[in-house]
Amino acid sequence: MKNFLNDSVITLDPLKLPKHVAIIMDGNGRWAKSKGLPRAYGHKVGAEVAKKIIYKTRELGIPYLTLFAFSKENWFRPPEEISTLLELLKIYLDAELEEMKKQGIRFKVIGDKADFPKDLQEKLEFIEKTTQENEKMVLCMALSYGGKNEIIKAVKKLAEEIKEGKISPEEIDEGLFRKFLDTKDIPDPDLLIRTSGEMRISNFLLFQLAYTELYFTPIYWPDFDEKEYLKALYSYQQRERRFGRIYEP
Ligand code: IPE
Ligand code: IPE
Ligand code: MG
């Protein structure tokens, strides 16, 4: 698999591509500020970048992509900024549904859909439903998502089932616990990309990132492009994933 990077050629090993890429799309506000523009403009450009990265992922044949689009904590931002973000989400969902269907992309939300206004909730559910048979790629959007919240919700559901006598505490293991997470039908990410230079997880996929390779870049999300994406994938392919074992070539 050949992809061009600057004037040189980046050769990605098609057999060593991650199965699941997760991205913390960060830096829209600072990108806009650095250009003397309103934060909303950064989000607008950021949404366009997200779209490009989604279809690039599909083109590369990577079967799972998770995008952190709105966190539980982002509800503490000013109401105008929240409206901008939700408005953009609606616009892109409407605009891209047909293309997602055409490209065999299944859309899935993790996080609390119920936190959103009814019309957006219904839109998200409709798109999840209309794309549920698609098998080429899963696009997982983390919306009103927080890792701690997801784990606590899982524990509550599990406790409920124990109380009802459906599960006994002895049966609990990693496999069973996973079934209670929002990501139940999705493998753990192989690669996490975070833009904007921040070196933190910000309450994203706390359980699922246990053995994920981390890639941080100072580039703000609106400047992230295919070339930067290929660089991240190339970096991933140079890593030696040991999972606590001793590496034997
Ligand atoms: C990422 O950009 C988008 C969301 C968190 C929704 P930010 O809005 O966090 O941009 P910065 O980090 O303030 O620059
Ligand atoms: C993480 O970015 C959330 C999303 C990208 C949606 P934030 O900008 O909210 O993270 P912090 O506040 O810098 O940790
Ligand atoms: Mg940020």
Side-chain angles (χ1 to χ4, degrees):
M1 185 178 292
K2 279 203 171 129
N3 275 295
F4 292 91
L5 179 65
N6 282 333
D7 297 324
S8 60
V9 178
I10 251 211
T11 310
L12 293 173
D13 180 348
L15 299 175
K16 275 176 72 185
L17 280 170
K19 273 201 167 54
H20 183 179
V21 176
I23 309 182
I24 302 177
M25 309 181 289
D26 197 16
N28 293 350
R30 278 165 286 163
W31 178 86
K33 200 178 165 210
S34 75
K35 295 184 158 7
L37 297 163
R39 291 179 60 87
Y41 187 71
H43 293 312
K44 228 174 132 183
V45 177
E48 196 57 29
V49 170
K51 174 181 143 181
K52 290 200 181 114
I53 295 301
I54 291 165
Y55 294 126
K56 185 67 193 175
T57 306
R58 170 69 187 83
E59 187 193 316
L60 288 165
I62 295 170
Y64 296 90
L65 174 68
T66 298
L67 298 178
F68 202 2
F70 195 87
S71 76
K72 271 283 187 199
E73 291 75 22
N74 289 151
W75 289 112
F76 296 105
R77 293 192 181 196
E80 315 82 67
E81 177 155 345
I82 295 173
S83 308
T84 301
L85 288 165
L86 302 195
E87 208 44 52
L88 277 167
L89 181 62
K90 270 191 239 169
I91 292 170
Y92 275 85
L93 288 173
D94 284 339
E96 296 309 313
L97 177 57
E98 280 316 306
E99 190 59 27
M100 287 199 286
K101 284 204 268 186
K102 213 157 90 191
Q103 297 212 23
I105 297 174
R106 175 156 81 90
F107 178 80
K108 182 197 161 76
V109 175
I110 57 169
D112 294 334
K113 278 191 293 244
D115 292 345
F116 293 104
K118 198 97 200 121
D119 62 327
L120 180 52
Q121 253 179 73
E122 282 167 5
K123 198 181 284 297
L124 292 168
E125 270 155 18
F126 174 75
I127 298 179
E128 285 185 307
K129 215 164 160 243
T130 33
T131 62
Q132 70 187 355
E133 305 295 333
N134 292 350
E135 287 178 339
K136 294 289 186 200
M137 182 183 119
V138 175
L139 169 61
C140 177
M141 288 278 254
L143 293 169
S144 196
Y145 175 88
K148 287 185 184 174
N149 174 253
E150 181 193 27
I151 292 168
I152 291 164
K153 277 191 304 183
V155 171
K156 269 193 192 151
K157 273 187 272 168
L158 184 57
E160 212 46 62
E161 296 211 355
I162 290 173
K163 200 168 87 185
E164 289 167 15
K166 289 186 189 155
I167 292 171
S168 71
E170 295 71 40
E171 281 176 81
I172 302 172
D173 60 13
E174 191 182 316
L176 187 136
F177 185 71
R178 281 177 182 280
K179 297 202 176 92
F180 291 86
L181 293 170
D182 292 0
T183 54
K184 57 180 172 296
D185 44 1
I186 292 182
D188 288 347
D190 299 296
L191 171 65
L192 172 77
I193 298 171
R194 184 176 189 148
T195 57
S196 91
E198 306 298 353
M199 307 263 200
R200 53 177 173 259
I201 299 301
S202 298
N203 202 12
F204 193 37
L205 300 173
L206 295 182
F207 185 89
Q208 298 86 343
L209 292 175
Y211 258 108
T212 301
E213 294 297 326
L214 309 178
Y215 179 88
F216 297 99
T217 169
I219 305 255
Y220 292 140
W221 180 250
D223 283 332
F224 194 80
D225 56 13
E226 285 189 5
K227 185 183 94 181
E228 292 300 328
Y229 193 25
L230 295 179
K231 266 161 77 176
L233 293 168
Y234 183 78
S235 162
Y236 169 81
Q237 295 199 329
Q238 312 312 308
R239 311 276 179 98
E240 187 180 281
R241 301 187 77 188
R242 286 191 288 269
F243 301 100
R245 294 157 175 80
I246 290 167
Y247 180 68
E248 285 175 62

